[in-house]
Structures are given as C-alpha cells and as structure tokens.
Amino acid sequence: MTDQESLAMRFEEHRPRLVRLAQRMLGSTAEAEDVVQDVWLRISSAGADGIDNFGGWLTTIASRACLNVLRSRATRGETPLDDGIAEPVVEADRRGADPLDDAQLADAVGAALMLVLDRLSPAERVAFVLHDSFDVPFDQIAELLDRSPGAVRQLASRARRRVRSADTSGGAASDRRPVVDAFFAAARAGDFDRLVALLSPDVELRIDGGLSATSIVRGAAAVASQALLFAAPAALLTPVLVDGLPGVVVMIDGRAVSVMAFDVEGDRIAVIDAFAGPERVAELSLP
C-alpha cells in the first residue's frame, strides 16, 4: 500500500464526522460535502507527516474552512457582519398568550432554531458547534479564532443561550419562571439554604459589567452568597425574556441597574447571566 493510499484510508475513517461538523457549521449538506472534499484535496497534496493527532488536525482544517465560508457569506450580507459577541435580546415576558397547537409549535421551534443559528456571528457559530457538539476544548478553538480562551467561552455561552431559546426541550420560559421567582424570594428573605437548593451544584454566575472581561462565580454556595450580598429589598423586578430565557430587569429608584437571565434545567438554575450597572444596562435595548 502506498503512502497516498494509506492517507486516503485514514481520511475516509474521519470523513463522516467531518461532514457532520461542517453540516452543523454551515446548515447545508452540499456545502459541507464540498468543504470536506476540499480538506481532502489539501491534505492529499501536503501530506500528514509529523501529525500526531490526525483527527484533531482534520477538525482544525475543516473548521477553518467552514469559518471562511461563514465569513464569505457575511461579506455578501447573508449573515451578520459583526464577528464579535452580539448583545442579548431583551423582550417583554407575555405570559398567558394563546399557545400554538403541537404541530404549529414544532414547526415554529424548528424554524426558530435555524433562524437563531443563521443569526449567530461566524465566531459564535464556530465556538458553539465545536465546543457543545464536538467537545473541542476552548483553548484549541481560541487558536482557530485568534481569541483568548475566555473570549471564546463567552462566544459559546451567548450562542448557547440563543439556541436554547428556540429549543423547547427545557420547557417554555413561563414553565421555568417559578424557579426564578423562588430565587428572588429566597434572596430577599435571606434564606441561604433555600438559595442553594434552587441552584445546580456547578451553577455559574457570569457578570458582564461592560469591561473587557466577564467575572464568573462558580458553585451553589458561592453564587448564593453573592445573591444575598446584593439582594435589594426595595428593588422592583420586571419579568422579561433574555434571548428567550426567563429573566428580570432590576429597577431601583426608577432606574434600571441590571438585567439578569436564568438558564433553568429541571427545577434548578444552571447559569445566571447578569448585565450589571446602569452604564452597561443603558447599552441594551429594553422593552
């Protein structure tokens, strides 16, 4: 067997995974197959001598090719031009609206999910797909996107919120609202144990104060302590949806001081995203 034949056999073992990756990235089977074929043409010419992690190397090449396609779409106005982190969409929480029937709901969710994916910036889409669907570490994605691992983590987080907002598997936002209400009630009452019970053990509180870095607090006890520290009994809480997730706008003396979004899994809060400070909140478009 020649070296070229051996390389072809190794590549074909990875082709199905590469096609799935490209399909998820691009939303098009035809484009995905074209990208993977281009990857093969590239490595068949260059060879793979000295490559220790062949699968990881192929993933990087295919991901970079998909990123180029997404950016090319953006220059033609087919996807957002901004390759950074999009601001959250804050909407009024209209509970009590007439629900769609099951068939209509399924169609709406499928269409919404595709629309959400298409509205992600190229960097958001790459970070989300590689990490959440293919378990690629953030530091590896950071090299691909020429970003810091922290920035890539934030890209994936924002993308994940948008995708989950179009996915009913976690329940409608109104179904998860009671957990959020219970969280604020416990915070106002100073009930530490109740707060911990409402939080997942590995919960994350991510605080975006408008600076270059996002502060992250991890763990139920640490997040509960933070909630007690900043609980304001006089605050007015306005229910909203933040990228489709249940959230609140926190008002003090008639001024919006923070916006919070809650990712609820089952009966516990898994992630809290807080946009904190009047200056940061002023950058958001509120209902």
Side-chain angles (χ1 to χ4, degrees):
M1 181 182 297
T2 66
D3 290 344
Q4 190 72 1
E5 290 172 337
S6 176
L7 180 62
M9 288 183 62
R10 294 175 67 191
F11 180 81
E12 289 303 318
E13 292 176 358
H14 291 273
R15 183 186 286 272
R17 179 179 61 84
L18 295 177
V19 170
R20 290 196 302 272
L21 183 151
Q23 285 175 327
R24 183 64 64 86
M25 290 266 203
L26 303 176
S28 166
T29 300
E31 284 186 308
E33 291 175 347
D34 287 344
V35 162
V36 173
Q37 186 61 26
D38 287 343
V39 171
W40 162 244
L41 293 175
R42 175 178 172 180
I43 70 164
S44 65
S45 299
D49 293 340
I51 302 300
D52 294 327
N53 184 353
F54 186 67
W57 182 58
L58 291 177
T59 296
T60 298
I61 295 174
S63 298
R64 185 170 287 115
C66 290
L67 182 60
N68 290 338
V69 171
L70 292 171
R71 285 173 172 165
S72 177
R73 288 181 186 173
T75 62
R76 300 193 301 268
E78 297 175 13
T79 57
L81 289 171
D82 180 13
D83 200 27
I85 302 174
E87 290 283 41
V89 177
V90 184
E91 306 170 275
D93 186 359
R94 298 182 179 87
R95 283 180 284 181
D98 292 335
L100 297 171
D101 61 37
D102 291 343
Q104 288 177 308
L105 181 60
D107 289 343
V109 168
L113 179 57
M114 290 307 301
L115 184 61
V116 168
L117 286 174
D118 286 342
R119 286 181 174 174
L120 298 179
S121 73
E124 283 178 326
R125 191 157 179 165
V126 168
F128 170 70
V129 170
L130 286 181
H131 183 265
D132 284 46
S133 297
F134 293 89
D135 296 321
V136 178
F138 284 124
D139 55 356
Q140 186 175 333
I141 303 172
E143 293 181 9
L144 173 67
L145 295 177
D146 194 24
R147 306 283 183 95
S148 70
V152 171
R153 183 186 297 274
Q154 192 173 5
L155 284 168
S157 172
R158 296 289 175 86
R160 190 179 303 117
R161 283 212 315 271
R162 284 169 167 77
V163 169
R164 285 185 177 179
S165 73
D167 181 2
T168 59
S169 61
S174 59
D175 296 335
R176 292 170 280 175
R177 176 67 64 181
V179 179
V180 176
D181 294 341
F183 172 84
F184 282 105
R188 282 177 162 169
D191 191 338
F192 178 82
D193 291 339
R194 177 59 177 157
L195 281 170
V196 170
L198 289 166
L199 299 168
S200 295
D202 55 352
V203 62
E204 282 192 357
L205 166 62
R206 300 187 288 236
I207 306 171
D208 179 351
L211 302 176
S212 57
T214 296
S215 301
I216 300 178
V217 180
R218 295 186 175 91
V223 172
S225 296
Q226 193 86 351
L228 290 178
L229 182 63
F230 291 101
L236 175 64
L237 307 178
T238 301
V240 293
L241 298 177
V242 182
D243 290 332
L245 298 179
V248 298
V249 176
V250 181
M251 308 280 295
I252 296 181
D253 295 330
R255 189 181 188 188
V257 297
S258 66
V259 175
M260 303 176 69
F262 295 80
D263 192 346
V264 180
E265 296 180 354
D267 58 356
R268 291 190 176 188
I269 296 167
V271 178
I272 304 172
D273 280 294
F275 304 88
E279 294 80 10
R280 180 67 181 99
V281 174
E283 297 173 354
L284 306 179
S285 178
L286 302 181

